[in-house]
Amino acid sequence: MAESIQISAVDIKRLWYADEDAVSADLTGTALYALVKANGSATEIKNVHQDTWTIEEGDPTQEPYKNQLTGSTYRMGAKAMGDVTFNFTIGRYDYATKKELMGGEIINTDKGWKRARGIVEVKKCLIALTQDDQYCVLPYANVVAREANTDGAVGIAVVATMLEPLNEAVMPEYWFDASEVKEGV
């Protein structure tokens, strides 16, 4: 029997975002390749400020119910899974990236940006490639981005939280070894 691929998912090598409907069927390595290739629909983020990148999964919660006579837990309530998030700060960016992740509008093609009034909802597909060549994909994520002081500059701090995709054929999170992300034959 062949030995299984062992991964650590070390740090970040490349990072992309795409429209929320970029994944419309169960994701394959070939479909992911089409998204991230040079002319694919995903947009690469070229700068992640040092030591700001993480993938985090919150602890699940579950309410224990105690037997009042013994003080021991005798059953558990429904389990709520923890949130999965991509967290990073973009240290250098263009106005188009600011608009895509924070909402608002571009001024004069690419000469500025203006914030939208009210609450802005941004949904995106996020794709990360780790240093050890593992792709992690959140096909449908809620993006909360804000301006943040990052070592003397104004970065865009991003938290992308995995959501349950509207399309039942699409899973909320995918992982692929880079050897699976290739052009179809």
Side-chain angles (χ1 to χ4, degrees), residues 16 18 22-23 27-43 127 135 180-184:
W16 299 264
V23 178
L27 190 61
T28 64
T30 302
L32 179 54
Y33 176 84
L35 280 172
V36 300
K37 70 180 182 178
N39 295 325
S41 62
T43 300
I127 304 161
Y135 283 89
E180 288 294 307
V181 181
K182 56 190 172 195
E183 192 166 16

Side-chain angles (χ1 to χ4, degrees), residues 82-105:
D83 289 333
V84 174
T85 61
F86 284 9
N87 310 281
F88 56 95
T89 299
I90 303 171
R92 177 178 281 162
Y93 46 89
D94 59 14
Y95 288 122
T97 300
K98 193 171 179 80
K99 175 193 177 292
E100 287 295 317
L101 299 178
M102 294 180 65
E105 295 298 325

